[in-house]
Amino acid sequence: MTYTQDTPDDLQAGAHVASAGSLYGPVTDWATDFDHADPEYNANAHEIWADLRGSCPIAHSDRYGGTWLPVTHADVARIAYDTEHFTSRSVVVNTGEVLAEAPIGGAPPITSDPPFHHHARRILLPPFAPKKIEPWEDDVRALCRDLLTDMGDVDVVDAAVQYAQHIPVNVIARMLGFPLEDADVFRGFVHQVLEGVNLSPAERQASFEQLDLYIDRQIQDHVDHPREDLTSFLMGATIFDEPLSLEHVRGSIVLLLLAGIDTTWSAIGSGIWHLASTPSDLERLDADPSLWPTAVEELLRAYAPVTMARMVAKDHDFNGCPMKRDEWVLLPFPAANLDPAEFERADEVLIDREVNRHSAFGLGIHRCLGSNLARLEVRVALEEFVRHFPRFELADPGAVRWSVGQIRGPRELPVRVLQRR
Amino acid sequence: MSHDLVYAVLMRVEIDGEKCQGHNRCYALAPELFDVDDYGNAVVIGDGAVPAELEDKARLAVANCPEFAISIIDD
């Protein structure tokens, strides 16, 4: 199967493909040999999912020790809700051993299973509840404006490199009380853990060890210099009336540090990519900012960045598929969001869509803990970009580079500014 | 006028706390009808009664809940 580099319309990403290939070599067939780490996958994801939906709605690949890829909303939802047959003990497909065992896992609560999951999640829900996140809006807006001002008067800006990637990193560093100047370090960790699907198990292990070492230094810094932030909050938190173990504190910080960064960065970048490719939507939003709430939800539906993973917990038959214990299952929420069985005009982006039951933030007990923060960052980042640059277009559709792996979004996104304020 | 009120069908909204996962769509779309607790999970305001002028908002909240956690009850 080959894909042409079409002119982008609503949901087609004509993209320059990075040279880095998958560990297993190029994909020969997306139904029987798919690989989410093949650079062609994210660059052509919408077409691949649409083809599979019609021909093979639960694809299987022998790569990574066996991986399943359901693409319908019904199957993705059913697996997300089924914590008996599917475990979360690892949520990033890779070739290595899963070292941290259920129920806690390496990054609680995302890697935790019931019943432990419930208790670990309840610790972190309050600091991410809407009323704790809303007060961050002014800070996020000021950060976005600074980034836009810093771009200066040039004609072409990279909306991913100069803008989107900085926003979530800066916000989570402030929330955790980590040094803002370490932003590059955080992005390095994100790249290794989430995009480093091709690294050998030993290389992955080494990058996790570096990450743990970095976090331990930050924890020690909080011991030496106590202050009010999420790190201190976790260090003082209890579970079953006992203080959290160091492993639990460190694992939850890994989650908070990594999960919110390239996900939100991808959502902001994809939103800008859509507006750069769709002048009519850009003009409507510029003329009528009251459309932003529905537009943001629709962009989250159409360009949901996150594909989660589960592991099969026990051998069983799923819709006729013989799933074996320890095989991987990808949960492409963006594919579920584009399923015409679930959404009217599913393949069109309608920025005034009022009924939008999308699952960009997952379904069931693992609903994205940071969804309130992510929504705030995406909305404010897009509002401010359009306020500053009311007209822009892709500088070169072929120069757009999409991410590799389970998080989908543009990593290089040069746009030509046609009008500025 | 008072007769209309007495005989009007009252709409109420209800949240299934087992299904709600704190997506907060209802609170964003209809803050007159829904609030959130300290964990970010949705609760109905008061007894969930929906004034006539908010019925469309109530339906919108139902239609946007990813977990199908909200239901409308006509008393």
Side-chain angles (χ1 to χ4, degrees), chain B residues 37-57:
Chain B
D37 65 16
D38 289 346
Y39 294 90
N41 289 325
V43 290
V44 297
I45 292 175
D47 62 358
V50 180
E53 69 273 17
L54 293 176
E55 288 185 357
D56 285 349
K57 276 199 171 188

Side-chain angles (χ1 to χ4, degrees), chain A residues 102-120:
Chain A
I104 302 175
I110 200 173
T111 56
S112 311
D113 288 329
F116 180 85
H117 167 270
H118 172 77
H119 304 279

Side-chain angles (χ1 to χ4, degrees), chain A residues 84-142:
Chain A
E84 184 193 340
H85 293 94
F86 301 95
T87 168
S88 285
R89 73 177 189 274
S90 181
V91 292
V92 181
V93 171
N94 68 85
T95 55
E97 292 282 310
V98 177
L99 298 172
E101 280 305 312
I104 302 175
I110 200 173
T111 56
S112 311
D113 288 329
F116 180 85
H117 167 270
H118 172 77
H119 304 279
R121 183 171 170 88
R122 270 182 89 79
I123 294 169
L124 278 167
L125 282 171
F128 288 94
K131 290 170 188 176
K132 287 288 169 59
I133 294 302
E134 283 160 11
W136 281 87
E137 175 158 347
D138 288 349
D139 279 7
V140 175
R141 201 173 292 282

Side-chain angles (χ1 to χ4, degrees), chain A residues 34-246:
Chain A
F34 70 84
D35 189 335
H36 64 297
D38 187 311
E40 294 280 349
Y41 178 76
N42 278 343
N44 300 284
H46 291 191
E47 298 92 315
I48 292 170
W49 295 327
D51 279 345
L52 290 175
R53 215 176 279 118
S55 61
C56 181
I58 306 177
H60 184 269
S61 167
D62 290 334
R63 299 181 184 215
Y64 307 98
T67 307
W68 297 91
L69 177 67
V71 293
T72 68
H73 185 279
D75 285 337
V76 169
R78 191 175 145 198
I79 294 167
Y81 286 123
D82 184 350
T83 56
E84 184 193 340
H85 293 94
F86 301 95
T87 168
S88 285
R89 73 177 189 274
S90 181
V91 292
V92 181
V93 171
N94 68 85
T95 55
E97 292 282 310
V98 177
L99 298 172
E101 280 305 312
I104 302 175
I110 200 173
T111 56
S112 311
D113 288 329
F116 180 85
H117 167 270
H118 172 77
H119 304 279
R121 183 171 170 88
R122 270 182 89 79
I123 294 169
L124 278 167
L125 282 171
F128 288 94
K131 290 170 188 176
K132 287 288 169 59
I133 294 302
E134 283 160 11
W136 281 87
E137 175 158 347
D138 288 349
D139 279 7
V140 175
R141 201 173 292 282
L143 168 67
C144 293
R145 289 183 176 174
D146 284 348
L147 290 167
L148 290 162
T149 306
D150 287 349
M151 289 177 186
D153 268 347
V154 291
D155 290 336
V156 175
V157 298
D158 192 314
V161 174
Q162 291 176 268
Y163 190 63
Q165 71 164 343
H166 295 286
I167 296 161
V169 178
N170 188 293
V171 174
I172 199 64
R174 283 197 243 180
M175 291 178 87
L176 285 166
F178 286 12
L180 296 184
E181 58 271 25
D182 286 352
D184 282 340
V185 179
F186 307 154
R187 278 190 293 267
F189 289 139
V190 168
H191 185 74
Q192 285 169 336
V193 172
L194 296 170
E195 293 208 68
V197 185
N198 299 334
L199 298 177
S200 71
E203 287 170 315
R204 278 186 71 80
Q205 185 58 27
S207 63
F208 273 109
E209 281 167 14
Q210 278 177 355
L211 176 59
D212 286 351
L213 203 64
Y214 177 84
I215 289 172
D216 286 352
R217 279 208 305 271
Q218 297 302 329
I219 291 173
Q220 185 59 46
D221 189 63
H222 280 72
V223 173
D224 298 339
H225 307 96
R227 50 202 192 258
E228 276 207 16
D229 52 33
L230 269 177
T231 303
S232 300
F233 169 82
L234 278 167
M235 290 161 67
T238 58
I239 192 164
F240 309 119
D241 298 323
E242 297 283 334
L244 297 188
S245 65
L246 174 64

